[in-house]
């Protein structure tokens, strides 16, 4: 990347466990820590069936490493969250390539923390959360790592870098890529993710918010004030009251065919991080939050997709930079 890129300080991330995870923050709803992964909330019955059929597998055979590399699974020969129809497709692909590799099912669903443990033992790489690729790498424990965004001359983000060490980069390798379905990524300590509360209120309070084409009419009907972020609703209500107000708005919308979205927002870690993202820099929309013993940091990606993750190391092999490409040439 050109040295003329503008640098934007974004904050720090800390990793007491010595393992940094880069993942889609929206999928932390289903992060299991040391427990078995579950599904995620969806109204799509067909999607629920697909998720329920998912299993975890090991790639076994003389071509297991080659097969893993072809799937972008740098660092480990495991495939997680594979639905029933995906098994057949993958086996067909291996046969077409002429590889000697077999999908061997795990005895039980593999906890997300164990997935991270496996990939970091191999030096770091890709694992899946709800079938979406995430990255985990071993990093120096016990230090605050500065996070810096880089913006090109056109004003668009180019990458986000995590400063892992003080040395000068001598080598670099692409450790994999992260998938994004919710337009944002989080940098977090692997153990801190076990403390993450995605949906439950931490203080017994919640917000109720709504917006859309008929928001002004709804605000007048319900007497709803304008919230700091620019949408209408109510802040800091008891959880049950906030949930009831959201239901009232949704009923009003359905009965009148109104253009409106109503959102129930319990004061969880996800709620607080989203508030920081809305307040953050206009290019990256970033924010930080203490979770457990670690400092986490999240940022918007400008959209969904697959973003490369590159690790730079010093001459002695110690990690120096982790770069997440958002729009590099």
């Amino acid at each position: 990347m050109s040295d003329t890129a503008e640098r934007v300080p974004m904050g720090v991330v800390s990793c007491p466990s010595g393992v940094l995870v880069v993942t889609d923050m929206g999928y932390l709803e289903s992060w299991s820590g040391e427990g078995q992964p579950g599904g995620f909330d969806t109204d799509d019955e067909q999607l629920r069936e697909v998720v329920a059929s998912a299993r975890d597998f090991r790639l076994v055979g003389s071509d297991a490493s080659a097969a893993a590399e072809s799937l972008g699974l740098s660092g480990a020969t495991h495939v997680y969250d594979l639905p029933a129809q995906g098994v057949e497709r993958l086996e067909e692909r291996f046969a077409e390539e002429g590889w000697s590799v077999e999908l061997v099912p795990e005895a039980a669903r593999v906890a997300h923390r164990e997935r991270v443990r496996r990939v970091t033992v191999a030096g770091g790489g890709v694992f899946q959360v709800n079938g979406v690729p995430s990255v985990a790498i071993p990093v120096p424990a016990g230090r605050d790592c500065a996070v810096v965004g880089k913006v090109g001359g056109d004003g668009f983000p180019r990458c986000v870098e995590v400063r892992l060490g003080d040395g000068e980069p001598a080598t670099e390798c692409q450790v994999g890529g992260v998938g994004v379905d919710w337009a944002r990524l989080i940098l977090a300590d692997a153990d801190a993710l076990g403390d993450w509360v995605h949906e439950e209120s931490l203080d017994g309070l919640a917000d109720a918010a709504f917006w859309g084409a008929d928001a002004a009419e709804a605000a007048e009907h319900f007497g709803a004030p304008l919230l700091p972020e620019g949408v209408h609703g109510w802040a800091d209500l008891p959880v049950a009251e906030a949930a009831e107000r959201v239901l009232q708005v949704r009923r009003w919308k359905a009965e009148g065919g109104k253009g409106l979205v109503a959102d129930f927002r319990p004061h969880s870690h996800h709620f607080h991080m989203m508030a920081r993202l809305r307040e953050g820099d206009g290019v990256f929309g970033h924010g930080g939050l203490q979770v457990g013993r670690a400092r986490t940091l999240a940022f918007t990606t400008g959209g969904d997709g697959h973003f490369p993750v590159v690790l730079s190391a010093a001459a002695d092999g110690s990690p120096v930079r982790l770069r997440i490409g958002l729009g590099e040439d």
Side-chain angles (χ1 to χ4, degrees), residues 293-314:
R293 298 189 300 122
R295 188 71 178 171
T296 63
L297 187 142
F299 57 92
T300 57
T301 56
D304 299 338
H306 189 267
F307 302 91
V309 179
V310 176
L311 180 65
S312 299

Side-chain angles (χ1 to χ4, degrees), residues 133-263:
S134 300
V135 165
I137 62 164
V139 298
R143 65 173 290 164
D144 289 342
C145 300
V147 182
V148 177
K150 292 188 177 182
V151 183
D154 55 6
F156 288 97
R158 289 293 183 262
C159 72
V160 170
E161 284 189 352
V162 186
R163 307 293 174 85
L164 302 174
D166 299 323
E168 288 299 319
T171 63
E172 70 173 31
C173 67
Q174 184 166 321
V175 296
V178 289
V180 176
D181 286 338
W182 295 83
R184 49 192 178 267
L185 285 169
I186 189 168
L187 308 168
D189 176 77
D191 287 345
L193 288 177
D195 296 321
W196 178 270
V197 178
H198 197 78
E199 292 292 346
E200 299 296 325
S201 178
L202 298 167
D203 60 4
L205 301 177
D207 292 2
F210 59 86
W211 60 92
D214 296 312
E217 183 182 350
E220 182 177 357
H221 177 82
F222 289 103
L226 195 65
L227 297 176
E229 70 181 83
V231 301
H232 289 89
W234 303 269
D236 303 328
L237 300 177
V239 167
E241 183 178 345
E244 177 58 30
R245 294 210 184 187
V246 170
L247 289 175
Q248 289 174 358
V249 173
R250 288 175 178 171
R251 283 195 294 265
W252 181 83
K253 168 193 172 181
E255 291 168 0
K258 304 296 185 178
L260 208 63
V261 176
D263 193 21

